Amino acid sequence: PPQADEVAAVNAPAVAVCPVEEGSGRTTTIGVASGVNGEGRFTAFAAGVPAGSATFSTGESGSAAIPIAEVAPLGTGAGLAELPGQDVAAASVFVGAQTAAVEGCLRTPTQHSLLAGGSTVSGERFQVQLMNPYAGEAIVDLIVQSESGLEAAPQLRGILVPSRSSVVIDLAEVLPGRQSLSIAIEVASGNVMTVGRFDAGADGALWHSVAPASDW
């Protein structure tokens, strides 16, 4: 039979921040998995205000699916999932005509995180999405390393992410023609959560940044 895990020293909040996209041939569903039968709410935010919200129930199955098309016609944005408890997980599921990608929603912000694996060579698009669900604005620096060395584009420094908004940095426009990009996200003030988004023809990917650690 299942055994209870050890109690964490610091319990993660019963909320999660999820990237979403609706339009341009792509749609998002927020999937929720829970060990309890409970209710929650998902609120999409953009430009500093809620763009729409929907309630959900995990029911006896312990799961729920929230189509973003039923919440708000958001385009590219983000949302806050208020979960039934701490032992509940949420994930963003992106589906296009030929692509599908899934990644877990983020629970806690970090002042320093790493995002690697992108490319901006011909036909490949690498975006960094900075999400700020909090009441105060955030200022972020992206320290980008490529095969050309440390990148010095001014668009990568002092990025303002307003409250309850998300900002997408399209590195295919800022740094085109790079075969390999690794990024350190440094938050100078406020809090953000970061995901990478990559498209190459019929392939697509979505992955979140991770805090630096001596062992992954």
Side-chain angles (χ1 to χ4, degrees), residues 6-14 86-87 107-109:
E6 294 182 5
V7 177
V10 178
N11 290 324
Q86 293 177 341
D87 297 327
R107 301 289 290 267
T108 54

Side-chain angles (χ1 to χ4, degrees), residues 91-189:
S92 296
V93 182
F94 283 23
V95 177
Q98 301 179 21
T99 63
V102 60
E103 179 59 290
C105 301
L106 291 155
R107 301 289 290 267
T108 54
T110 56
Q111 298 303 108
H112 304 278
S113 60
L114 304 175
L115 191 66
S119 171
T120 60
V121 297
S122 179
E124 298 186 354
R125 188 180 188 189
F126 181 30
Q127 297 177 317
V128 177
Q129 183 176 1
L130 306 168
M131 304 176 293
N132 177 10
Y134 302 101
E137 68 180 22
I139 299 176
V140 180
D141 292 326
L142 301 183
I143 313 302
V144 181
Q145 186 84 18
S146 73
E147 68 276 7
S148 301
L150 185 65
E151 300 287 353
Q155 300 96 316
L156 304 174
R157 302 291 193 274
I159 301 168
L160 177 64
V161 187
S163 167
R164 298 185 181 91
S165 299
S166 76
V167 171
V168 177
I169 307 299
D170 192 341
L171 294 178
E173 295 180 357
V174 179
L175 300 170
R178 303 305 197 268
Q179 293 182 351
S180 177
L181 292 167
S182 297
I183 304 168
I185 300 99
E186 297 188 356
V187 182
S189 66

